[in-house]
């Protein structure tokens, strides 16, 4: 299966409320439509994670990020522009996302991906894609496809084929909280 067919199938599964496993700009991720509360609930169940812990979303562009976060502070754009590695920003005023995805304070963690597969996936899907590490909560994140447990492989609706052969170290993104008033806090 080529990358375009792989992305087409993943998009189809997410549009139908399904959950996928896919390679990202960091570790392998569990993904779904970030605007679909039932799909988000499935991700929490698969991860065996408390739904009070918000999940990260990937988008393909600044324009897409702005559709789902009202009033992005200027400092957030500066942080993302200067980042030398994948950086997730937690921003206030999430809008048009699944209610069970955003934090109690209305914030959302989002990252503009630059990695070719996940960027194209987000572009073709035309909405934010949930991107939480492919692991059961509390276990190590799957750096590569070979690190994903059978339990997870069997729990999702589709497992992407792209980058399955890869065997190199990957780490989770940096996480930076940026408040509306421009206050910056490094989380990870």
């Amino acid at each position: 299966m080529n990358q375009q067919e792989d992305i087409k199938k993943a998009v189809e599964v997410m549009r139908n409320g399904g959950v996928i496993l896919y390679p990202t700009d960091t570790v392998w991720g569990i993904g779904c439509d970030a605007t679909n509360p039932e799909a988000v609930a499935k991700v929490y169940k698969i991860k065996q994670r408390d739904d009070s812990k918000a999940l990260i979303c990937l988008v393909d562009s600044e324009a897409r990020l702005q559709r789902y976060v009202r009033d992005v502070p200027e400092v957030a754009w500066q942080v993302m522009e200067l980042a030398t590695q994948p950086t997730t920003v937690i921003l206030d005023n999430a809008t048009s996302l699944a209610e069970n995805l955003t934090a109690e304070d209305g914030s959302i963690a989002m990252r503009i991906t630059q990695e070719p597969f996940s960027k194209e996936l987000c572009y073709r899907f035309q909405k934010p894609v949930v991107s939480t590490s492919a692991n059961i909560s509390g276990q190590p994140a799957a750096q590569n496809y070979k690190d994903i447990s059978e339990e997870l492989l069997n729990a999702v609706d589709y497992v992407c084929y792209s980058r399955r052969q890869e065997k190199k170290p990957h780490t989770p993104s940096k996480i930076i909280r940026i408040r509306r008033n421009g206050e910056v806090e490094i989380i990870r």
Side-chain angles (χ1 to χ4, degrees), residues 38-188:
E38 292 82 18
V40 172
K42 288 182 203 175
V43 171
Y44 281 115
K45 185 177 179 186
I46 290 168
K47 277 193 71 84
Q48 300 170 26
R49 182 174 174 168
D50 181 356
D51 67 6
S52 68
K53 295 183 176 183
L55 303 172
I56 293 171
C57 295
L58 289 185
V59 292
D60 64 314
S61 66
E62 292 177 2
R64 186 107 41 229
L65 185 143
Q66 288 181 294
R67 288 183 197 145
Y68 294 93
V69 177
R70 286 188 290 272
D71 304 319
V72 178
E74 182 57 37
V75 70
W77 299 119
Q78 293 167 358
V79 165
M80 289 183 280
E81 185 178 312
L82 296 172
T84 57
Q85 64 188 77
T87 301
T88 300
V89 291
I90 300 173
L91 299 165
D92 295 326
N93 293 324
T95 185
S96 306
L97 295 168
E99 288 147 15
N100 55 343
L101 179 62
T102 57
E104 287 181 15
D105 65 1
S107 65
I108 187 67
M110 294 194 106
R111 184 168 72 249
I112 300 172
T113 181
Q114 300 303 325
E115 183 273 329
F117 182 86
S118 56
K119 188 173 185 78
E120 183 74 9
L121 177 71
C122 292
Y123 174 74
R124 295 285 172 210
F125 190 57
Q126 295 287 297
K127 295 188 222 177
V129 175
V130 166
S131 181
T132 184
S133 56
N135 62 318
I136 302 299
S137 193
Q139 296 179 359
Q143 293 184 37
N144 295 289
Y145 172 78
K146 69 176 180 53
D147 303 321
I148 302 171
S149 71
E150 279 298 315
E151 182 179 2
L152 279 184
L153 291 170
N154 294 325
V156 300
D157 301 299
Y158 183 70
V159 181
C160 291
Y161 288 89
S162 298
R163 293 181 44 205
R164 283 192 186 185
Q165 304 307 317
E166 195 171 87
K167 293 180 176 113
K168 63 182 187 179
H170 294 277
T171 56
S173 69
K174 294 280 186 206
I175 299 179
I176 299 175
R177 169 86 199 218
I178 303 172
R179 300 221 178 253
R180 251 190 322 218
N181 65 6
E183 181 183 315
V184 176
E185 176 188 0
I186 298 172
I187 307 290
R188 174 175 77 196

